[in-house]
Amino acid sequence: MSNRGLLEQLERTTETLSHSLSNLIKYSSVAKERDDEDDGEQHELPESTAKNSTSGLMMVNAQTGQLIKGIQDLLVMTRSIREKWLLTQIPDEGVDSQPELDYEKCSQLLKQWTQEVVGSEE
Amino acid sequence: MSQGSVPGAGVGVSDPQADYNFSHVPAQALDAVRMRLAQLTHSQAKLKDEMAKADLPQWHSLQAQVSIILTQLQSLTSTIHHFEETLDSTVVYPLANFPTTAHEGLLTTLLRKKNIPEVDEWINDAKETSGIDINTASHEDIKNALRSDEELTKWALDFLKQEHSNYSYHGFHTARELSAGAPPNTRDEYQRAPSSKKPKKPFDANSVLKMIHQGTFN
Amino acid sequence: MAGEGPRANGFGSDNMYKKPLAIDPNLIRPAPSSASPSADSDNEHKSEQNQPSTGMAQPLVNNPYEIFGNMPLDQLIPLILQSRGTGTKFADLTEESLMEEIIKDDVPLSQAQRDADGDLDMDVSQFANEPGQQTPEPQQIEGPARADEDAALSQEKFRQLKASTVQSLNLAVNESSLALEFVSLLLSSVRPSAANASMSPFLKKTVPQASLNAEKIPFQTPSSAEVLDRSLIAKGWKQRSLEESRTLLKDSYQALEKSLKKEHSYWSKVSHNISKKDVVFRIKDRETGEKSLGIKYGYEDSGSTYTQERGIAVLKHNSKLDRLELVPADRQQANALGKDNNEKFVRVRIFTKIEEEDDYILTGESRLDELLIPNQAAGEEFDFRRQISRLKFFIFEKDLMYQLKRESENLISYGVSIENENKITIEFSTEKLELETMPVNDDVIMNHQQDAPKTDDRKATLVLIMLRMLLVVIYKKQLRKKLLCPQTSMGASVKSPKTHKAVGKLQDNEVLLLRPIIGKFKHESYVNLLKKIIKGFVLDVVEDSSVRKVSGSSHPVTIKNEAVYDNHIAKLDKEIHLFDKILEMPRSDLLVELPKSGTILFVLQSSNYCNATTGVKYTNGEGEILFDTSFSNFKELEDFLHFIVSEYVAGGQENGVKDE
């Protein structure tokens, strides 16, 4: 996933998280939302039991689920970022390359080997 | 003998439809409710079938179905609530052409308003959880309890809103940086990876051919 | 109660009760066998009813009714009293109370669900959900969704959950379809088409359309009591939901935190231990099925063609220790055979021949690599690197042995024999070389560390090191081949996989491990032999003759001055050329100078490192080349020399060719 895509996903997830949390609180309120404040209590119908139960259900499943899923998404995202970092490493030409062989010394050592093992003089 | 003026009407037999006045049937409300109820029933039946299978489908498809059902349920209840006045003020009764003799049980089942025992249990359980016994406590106490509940909820919401405004949800800068006046536009925020950089000029044909045949492009 | 016989008691006559209890205390006798006839006969009679196998002292079937039926009363009654708890008196038992008890026991059976057929629902889970449990939660549909949280969910529990879910779903479907039918029926009076669409066929058949009507009644706003009631219910319900939500969040928080910690430690170790130069990639672990990272420790990128081991290890996270690494696929087989099977290293031994006994004694053994010696002092950071080094070491050793065996197959005529799949023996005139793969276990290591150093140890170690270096040279040559002609390795694979494999594969004659070394040894001995022959046939015969070594017209190895494409290839070239001296065909030139008679030039060379051909060129005193031949047989050479010396060389006419 590109960087931009990741960033956007991050933003989306955090938005969703904050919304879910506030929705959760809203759903748990007992009284009904009042659009206009000046209505007296008598005219307001309390919510029916059915509506209550539905919002209760909704609360638990949907919102809580969204919260948890949001966090899990973040976790998955961090893992993919880490993998991306790890797998796109390229060794630097200058820094990581092996040191140059000292060819002179090497041929010297090879000559020595021949002498020692085979016992001949070249 | 024959009153042929009324077509299709037999002698003395009155058209049942014409006699009854169906004006009080709340058609609009019922239709809306019916539609949503049909959807809900359908999804529920689907879920039940899925669950009854020997090897269950993936959990996330089940989860998706559950959330669909929940949304439908929510729309259903809000519809009902919307029409609550209308629906609450209607009373249903069977007409003569209902085959009561054969299907008396069906009628009572259709028209019953009582909750099934499970639902009653749940409601009782909820009443117990609230911790206030409606018989012993006075109305004022109950109202106070409800009000304090409401205040708690309000406080929680306000708190959340406040916290929300403390954070910056876009871009790379923290809210603190932004409020301290850090210039948000000087740094290129969405910097693409160098590998995705495309060359600006189109390729030279010769160098392309050279690359194909020789493997170099110098 | 006195005088009442058992028959008067309702119990005795009731055939449902197979326990022929004589409740009347008057009938309790200490020795019922010698009892009064009435009681005894009753007991016997009833026990006969119960015993299908008469006459047997010990019934074959363990029938509790029988046992209690035959038990003498003075044992049975205390038992009964005991089972009811202390303090009960036998006299307190009445028929009614016993009846009640029996009915109570039967209660679950009558309340059991009736299936669609009307049969009893035999689902055991029903009983489990009875009063002891909580009432079913409103939020119960999420049964299957929660099942995956608890990994230790037993199958029994799962089945229970599933059954309860299906039950709730059934309830829900029933209720909503009922509501749907009702609404449709009511609607059918005004909007028949819409209603018909959602009515079930059963309803359509049984009930005609528009059978329900509705009337309006004045709307009653709910009383304040009702309002409060509803609010209370709401409060309680929402509290419940909040509680549920809280539990869910807490559980998942804990689970997530654990996995977060695991992730964190895994990745910090990865970043700590893996450098940019390691080849890391995503791999699916075959054993567990999960996707994880793998690291390649094989030498394929460096030019190896060893395909018997993949050389890939999975970076698995062991939460207790550090990382475990596994080799894919091979590991399963290896584990079946024994863990140490994969860890083998090559050891070189030199044996010197003892002339008298015609046997060999061990005179040299190569040194153990320090990777093999378990190193307790290594700290944690080195452990991972050390594991990688070890894996690399072992796969290299395996490759080495594999190539050695391959080469030895063609060298049988030169004293090389493969004794078993782990041992190669090379015989020289005075020595014997043994190349063996040894498993890494404590015995080997201890034996080695305890051995006294021997004379040829260094020589053996040097031979082993040279073998390894030569394998590296083979790798570099392969690499260069791949780099120089990439189209053969890439393009061919599309058209014909066979040629692709053939191109990439190592040819037999490219494997140059033993031959240069053997060649060198053999050449030495041939040179010595030649010198001895020369001495015997020329020097000792001809006066003032001398022999010296001359640098032959050997082909100087020039580094081609081609246009260098790549500095990598140039570097490879340079490295490969370092070994030219080792890899070149052995050749020695000996020049015998005969006074006044010219020179004899001996060219001792080999065509495949192991054989020897001697070229003899005789130039007489006038500078004419008289003979220029080559021999592969030293006996013929001796004869020829003898001939030359005796014919052409002055002073050779004397008889005196000394034979050694």
Side-chain angles (χ1 to χ4, degrees):
Chain A
M1 231 201 285
S2 74
N3 291 339
R4 186 180 219 123
L6 279 173
L7 190 65
E8 280 172 7
Q9 197 194 15
L10 175 68
E11 287 171 7
R12 262 185 281 134
T13 315
T14 45
E15 285 270 358
T16 318
L17 278 179
S18 59
H19 278 155
S20 306
L21 192 57
S22 42
N23 273 342
L24 193 64
I25 306 284
K26 270 192 219 155
Y27 276 124
S28 71
S29 85
V30 178
K32 212 167 75 160
E33 269 181 35
R34 298 208 175 101
D35 289 325
D36 24 348
E37 286 288 335
D38 40 21
D39 267 21
E41 270 188 51
Q42 278 77 13
H43 292 290
E44 298 287 331
L45 294 170
E47 295 180 6
S48 65
T49 316
K51 196 151 189 219
N52 274 326
S53 65
T54 319
S55 43
L57 268 174
M58 194 67 178
M59 188 165 97
V60 173
N61 270 312
Q63 302 305 323
T64 320
Q66 264 186 346
L67 273 177
I68 297 174
K69 191 164 181 305
I71 307 267
Q72 283 177 337
D73 281 343
L74 283 177
L75 202 62
V76 167
M77 234 197 308
T78 52
R79 178 163 237 238
S80 59
I81 293 177
R82 279 176 167 142
E83 274 188 2
K84 200 169 164 214
W85 164 79
L86 184 68
L87 297 175
T88 51
Q89 304 249 357
I90 304 173
D92 275 335
E93 241 349 75
V95 173
D96 291 329
S97 57
Q98 289 168 344
E100 277 284 318
L101 283 182
D102 187 354
Y103 292 105
E104 296 301 321
K105 190 161 180 209
C106 290
S107 40
Q108 186 65 32
L109 286 171
L110 288 171
K111 266 196 206 158
Q112 233 186 326
W113 180 89
T114 324
Q115 274 175 3
E116 276 207 41
V117 175
V118 184
S120 69
E121 312 100 25
E122 284 276 342
Chain B
M1 280 241 324
S2 59
Q3 302 173 19
S5 55
V6 182
V11 176
V13 179
S14 48
D15 187 2
Q17 298 278 61
D19 276 352
Y20 299 114
N21 180 7
F22 291 108
S23 59
H24 287 298
V25 175
Q28 186 194 18
L30 281 181
D31 200 21
V33 168
R34 177 202 70 85
M35 204 166 52
R36 292 189 173 71
L37 195 51
Q39 282 177 338
L40 181 66
T41 317
H42 182 69
S43 344
Q44 276 175 335
K46 221 167 75 166
L47 184 62
K48 184 180 101 162
D49 288 336
E50 299 259 308
M51 282 293 295
K53 278 196 226 165
D55 41 326
L56 287 173
Q58 293 279 335
W59 66 267
H60 46 79
S61 81
L62 288 175
Q63 184 88 336
Q65 284 178 323
V66 168
S67 43
I68 290 175
I69 288 181
L70 278 180
T71 2
Q72 287 174 337
L73 189 60
Q74 200 177 33
S75 77
L76 175 67
T77 46
S78 50
T79 319
I80 291 183
H81 182 73
H82 182 64
F83 288 111
E84 188 168 345
E85 274 198 29
T86 331
L87 291 172
D88 235 355
S89 57
T90 45
V91 160
V92 180
Y93 57 90
L95 293 174
N97 54 359
F98 197 99
T100 29
T101 44
H103 301 283
E104 187 181 331
L106 182 60
L107 187 62
T108 44
T109 323
L110 275 178
L111 289 182
R112 75 158 156 83
K113 291 203 222 175
K114 194 162 135 66
N115 293 325
I116 53 176
E118 278 85 358
V119 174
D120 269 338
E121 265 179 42
W122 296 340
I123 294 181
N124 280 336
D125 186 50
K127 269 201 204 155
E128 278 175 23
T129 323
S130 68
I132 301 171
D133 193 354
I134 196 165
N135 299 321
T136 58
S138 72
H139 285 200
E140 273 310 307
D141 287 341
I142 299 176
K143 278 199 195 146
N144 279 336
L146 290 171
R147 216 175 296 149
S148 60
D149 251 357
E150 183 64 18
E151 277 172 18
L152 187 66
T153 320
K154 256 208 215 125
W155 168 84
L157 269 178
D158 285 336
F159 176 76
L160 273 184
K161 271 200 205 121
Q162 221 185 349
E163 279 300 311
H164 185 100
S165 65
N166 276 344
Y167 294 90
S168 146
Y169 286 89
H170 296 275
F172 286 116
H173 301 269
T174 64
R176 225 178 293 166
E177 284 179 13
L178 283 175
S179 56
N185 284 328
T186 50
R187 235 193 322 172
D188 188 8
E189 303 204 324
Y190 294 103
Q191 196 148 49
R192 298 164 112 190
S195 58
S196 65
K197 274 213 184 95
K198 293 199 184 118
K200 299 287 162 107
K201 296 188 297 204
F203 281 122
D204 178 30
N206 281 334
S207 50
V208 170
L209 285 173
K210 205 171 178 199
M211 179 70 202
I212 292 174
H213 292 283
Q214 288 185 1
T216 67
F217 44 82
N218 286 335
Chain C
M1 282 204 280
E4 276 181 300
R7 286 211 194 259
N9 219 322
F11 279 31
S13 55
D14 196 345
N15 275 333
M16 273 173 61
Y17 300 99
K18 295 181 174 58
K19 308 172 206 170
L21 301 176
I23 301 301
D24 191 346
N26 284 340
L27 294 168
I28 299 173
R29 292 172 203 283
S33 52
S34 57
S36 73
S38 59
D40 236 356
S41 61
D42 275 342
N43 273 346
E44 264 178 30
H45 177 64
K46 294 207 166 77
S47 58
E48 265 175 38
Q49 278 178 337
N50 288 337
Q51 257 179 338
S53 52
T54 52
M56 298 276 285
Q58 289 258 338
L60 291 169
V61 173
N62 193 12
N63 185 354
Y65 290 120
E66 217 176 285
I67 295 177
F68 288 121
N70 294 339
M71 211 184 274
L73 270 181
D74 60 350
Q75 291 175 13
L76 187 54
I77 293 183
L79 260 182
I80 297 173
L81 290 178
Q82 253 183 347
S83 68
R84 287 184 180 277
T86 53
T88 54
K89 290 216 194 97
F90 199 75
D92 288 342
L93 291 174
T94 60
E95 180 183 10
E96 287 85 17
S97 64
L98 285 175
M99 284 287 265
E100 274 179 66
E101 276 181 26
I102 291 166
I103 290 177
K104 207 166 56 162
D105 277 335
D106 266 347
V107 151
L109 211 54
S110 56
Q111 277 187 3
Q113 286 260 328
R114 300 249 158 202
D115 230 0
D117 306 342
D119 298 340
L120 278 180
D121 188 359
M122 293 301 286
D123 197 350
V124 182
S125 63
Q126 286 299 318
F127 303 143
N129 276 339
E130 278 310 308
Q133 306 282 85
Q134 294 173 327
T135 51
E137 288 283 308
Q139 303 88 349
Q140 215 175 354
I141 298 184
E142 48 171 350
R146 294 185 78 175
D148 59 331
E149 278 178 26
D150 188 4
L153 204 63
S154 71
Q155 188 157 63
E156 186 60 41
K157 267 200 237 171
F158 178 72
R159 263 189 281 133
Q160 280 179 9
L161 278 176
K162 185 172 168 197
S164 63
T165 313
V166 175
Q167 180 201 6
S168 310
L169 262 180
N170 273 334
L171 220 62
V173 171
N174 283 339
E175 287 294 302
S176 38
S177 36
L178 198 58
L180 184 62
E181 309 248 321
F182 169 63
V183 172
S184 317
L185 193 54
L186 189 54
L187 195 59
S188 61
S189 50
V190 256
R191 291 193 200 173
S193 52
N196 267 334
S198 34
M199 274 210 282
S200 74
F202 170 71
L203 198 66
K204 276 192 247 185
K205 264 191 302 175
T206 24
V207 180
Q209 288 215 353
S211 331
L212 298 175
N213 200 353
E215 278 298 324
K216 266 208 176 341
I217 56 173
F219 179 67
Q220 294 163 329
T221 47
S223 69
S224 62
E226 257 185 42
V227 168
L228 280 180
D229 193 37
R230 280 199 212 168
S231 313
L232 266 186
I233 297 176
K235 176 163 137 69
W237 200 292
K238 300 224 166 135
Q239 207 165 318
R240 259 282 164 88
S241 319
L242 210 53
E243 181 74 29
E244 176 97 16
S245 189
R246 183 192 77 94
T247 327
L248 262 181
L249 281 173
K250 182 160 187 187
D251 288 340
S252 53
Y253 162 73
Q254 282 170 342
L256 282 173
E257 186 166 26
K258 250 190 263 177
S259 76
L260 188 68
K261 257 193 229 155
K262 245 178 46 176
E263 278 285 304
H264 188 71
S265 84
Y266 179 71
W267 283 94
S268 64
K269 290 198 176 65
V270 164
S271 76
H272 194 81
N273 282 327
I274 294 192
S275 66
K276 278 194 248 187
K277 291 162 70 180
D278 291 315
V279 180
V280 184
F281 44 89
R282 282 198 203 114
I283 188 175
K284 189 167 174 186
D285 190 352
R286 281 200 202 150
E287 287 180 20
T288 61
E290 51 178 46
K291 294 190 187 148
S292 60
L293 293 171
I295 191 173
K296 188 162 174 76
Y297 61 87
Y299 288 94
E300 264 163 337
D301 292 328
S302 312
S304 159
T305 49
Y306 189 55
T307 47
Q308 299 190 355
E309 194 177 312
R310 274 182 81 186
I312 299 176
V314 171
L315 288 172
K316 242 170 88 145
H317 182 68
N318 187 337
S319 27
K320 286 177 291 188
L321 325 164
D322 226 311
R323 260 190 224 93
L324 273 183
E325 294 179 48
L326 291 174
V327 177
D330 305 354
R331 181 54 105 189
Q332 287 161 351
Q333 298 162 14
N335 272 339
L337 299 167
K339 193 198 168 204
D340 279 339
N341 224 16
N342 264 349
E343 302 191 339
K344 290 197 177 136
F345 66 99
V346 176
R347 185 183 64 176
V348 174
R349 277 181 161 174
I350 300 183
F351 294 84
T352 316
K353 196 167 187 170
I354 305 177
E355 287 296 335
E356 307 86 43
E357 297 171 23
D358 199 22
D359 194 10
Y360 293 91
I361 63 160
L362 180 66
T363 51
E365 195 174 282
S366 61
R367 190 183 62 204
L368 276 186
D369 199 290
E370 60 185 0
L371 271 181
L372 301 171
I373 304 170
N375 191 356
Q376 278 103 1
E380 202 210 274
E381 316 99 55
F382 291 114
D383 203 37
F384 177 72
R385 281 277 132 205
R386 204 182 138 87
Q387 275 181 338
I388 293 189
S389 314
R390 274 176 77 109
L391 284 170
K392 283 186 174 166
F393 179 75
F394 288 127
I395 197 175
F396 188 82
E397 297 287 284
K398 273 173 78 168
D399 197 357
L400 180 64
M401 198 57 189
Y402 174 74
Q403 305 291 353
L404 281 173
K405 278 192 272 187
R406 211 172 136 189
E407 197 182 5
S408 314
E409 284 169 12
N410 299 328
L411 294 179
I412 289 197
S413 41
Y414 297 112
V416 179
S417 63
I418 306 179
E419 285 190 26
N420 56 42
E421 65 166 13
N422 288 331
K423 199 154 150 176
I424 298 175
T425 322
I426 310 164
E427 283 195 17
F428 299 109
S429 46
T430 55
E431 288 174 325
K432 187 166 88 162
L433 221 60
E434 226 180 55
L435 308 166
E436 198 177 347
T437 44
M438 307 292 303
V440 177
N441 49 26
D442 297 329
D443 302 330
V444 171
I445 295 177
M446 255 204 318
N447 283 341
H448 183 86
Q449 281 172 330
Q450 287 170 355
D451 281 345
K454 300 176 273 287
T455 45
D456 284 334
D457 272 350
R458 189 173 155 80
K459 193 164 158 191
T461 315
L462 286 174
V463 166
L464 183 59
I465 292 177
M466 181 51 76
L467 282 173
R468 290 185 184 149
M469 284 203 283
L470 288 175
L471 185 61
V472 173
V473 172
I474 294 177
Y475 285 173
K476 288 195 193 287
K477 284 186 181 163
Q478 276 295 100
L479 204 57
R480 190 173 70 171
K481 198 163 75 167
K482 265 196 260 180
L483 282 177
L484 281 176
C485 29
Q487 58 265 28
T488 45
S489 52
M490 290 194 310
S493 63
V494 174
K495 293 172 197 161
S496 47
K498 275 191 196 161
T499 49
H500 162 59
K501 277 197 185 146
V503 162
K505 207 173 165 176
L506 208 53
Q507 310 296 324
D508 270 349
N509 62 347
E510 289 177 338
V511 181
L512 281 178
L513 293 170
L514 283 175
R515 280 179 287 170
I517 297 182
I518 296 180
K520 289 224 167 350
F521 281 129
K522 283 201 149 62
H523 189 75
E524 248 336 273
S525 56
Y526 288 148
V527 165
N528 288 335
L529 183 59
L530 187 60
K531 281 192 186 159
K532 259 206 280 188
I533 292 177
I534 292 175
K535 185 162 188 294
F537 282 81
V538 179
L539 297 178
D540 294 343
V541 172
V542 179
E543 294 172 1
D544 294 338
S545 58
S546 62
V547 64
R548 66 186 163 98
K549 203 159 202 169
V550 296
S551 64
S553 56
S554 54
H555 332 272
V557 182
T558 52
I559 299 179
K560 298 178 242 174
N561 271 335
E562 298 171 0
V564 171
Y565 302 119
D566 196 45
N567 46 356
H568 295 295
I569 298 186
K571 189 166 151 202
L572 276 175
D573 276 341
K574 266 205 269 183
E575 289 165 358
I576 293 171
H577 285 308
L578 269 181
F579 285 82
D580 281 343
K581 271 264 158 11
I582 307 267
L583 292 176
E584 68 182 356
M585 297 289 189
R587 182 192 161 125
S588 301
D589 294 19
L590 293 170
L591 188 65
V592 173
E593 283 183 347
L594 308 158
K596 295 183 248 141
S597 308
T599 60
I600 312 179
L601 179 64
F602 294 91
V603 175
L604 179 64
Q605 62 188 21
S606 168
S607 61
N608 65 355
Y609 297 95
C610 301
N611 57 12
T613 51
T614 321
V616 181
K617 190 158 105 175
Y618 173 56
T619 320
N620 66 3
E622 286 78 43
E624 292 169 348
I625 300 176
L626 294 179
F627 291 104
D628 193 357
T629 60
S630 66
F631 297 92
S632 46
N633 189 342
F634 282 102
K635 190 78 185 113
E636 290 173 4
L637 179 66
E638 286 176 1
D639 293 338
F640 184 66
L641 270 184
H642 180 70
F643 163 71
I644 289 182
V645 162
S646 52
E647 291 290 323
Y648 290 91
V649 175
Q653 280 109 358
E654 309 166 3
N655 291 339
V657 176
K658 292 188 191 157
D659 276 11
E660 297 282 294

